[in-house]
Amino acid sequence: MTYLPEGSQAPAFTLPDQNGAPVSLDQFRGKKVLVYFYPKAMTPGCKVQACGLRDSRAELDTLGMVVLGISPDPVARLKKFEEKDHLNFTLLSDEEHAVADAFGVWGPKKFMGKEYDGIHRISFLIDEAGKVVRVFDKFKTKDHHQVVLDYLNQA
């Protein structure tokens, strides 16, 4: 599996959010965007990752960062995830995994001895012009928000 490298132009996309409204990456031109891919809403690791970002929202806002979480979950499941965990950022439904394919994060995985295709937990920091400036591919779910904040505070 080869994902989109740093320096690449981020693929344009439009996906439904947790309310069913279309959201396009182009809407955020002129802002920094963290596009983070996660396997499945309301699972333990995905919850920890999302809640870390939720709790860091004020600091991310100060740094001018928009957060978009993308998973293959249907809209209704994303809405439930948002409400259950009081998430304060946009979740996007990529049921056909077209956007995950475009970013190169859909591919073979192993879990409990089984092999299957799914989303790999990788995040992309996209600059104001739509270019991928950082790929976060090595982190623990509980530390994801801090890895992102540390990078932004050093930049």
Side-chain angles (χ1 to χ4, degrees), residues 20-38:
V23 173
S24 298
L25 183 59
D26 284 345
Q27 288 175 227
F28 303 103
R29 282 289 172 143
K31 295 183 179 187
K32 289 180 269 203
V33 181
L34 178 69
V35 174
Y36 89 95
F37 290 89
Y38 63 98

Side-chain angles (χ1 to χ4, degrees), residues 38-81:
Y38 63 98
K40 190 171 184 180
M42 295 185 287
T43 56
C46 295
K47 175 182 173 144
V48 166
Q49 184 178 18
C51 289
L53 289 166
R54 174 200 67 200
D55 296 345
S56 301
R57 176 71 188 263
E59 192 171 353
L60 289 166
D61 285 350
T62 300
L63 296 165
M65 178 65 55
V66 172
V67 176
L68 301 176
I70 300 178
S71 76
D73 294 301
V75 168
R77 186 170 175 92
L78 296 180
K79 186 64 179 173
K80 194 172 176 184
F81 189 28

Side-chain angles (χ1 to χ4, degrees), residues 72-92:
D73 294 301
V75 168
R77 186 170 175 92
L78 296 180
K79 186 64 179 173
K80 194 172 176 184
F81 189 28
E82 174 199 36
E83 290 173 349
K84 185 176 179 192
D85 293 304
H86 310 286
L87 301 180
N88 54 11
F89 54 86
T90 303
L91 301 173
L92 300 174

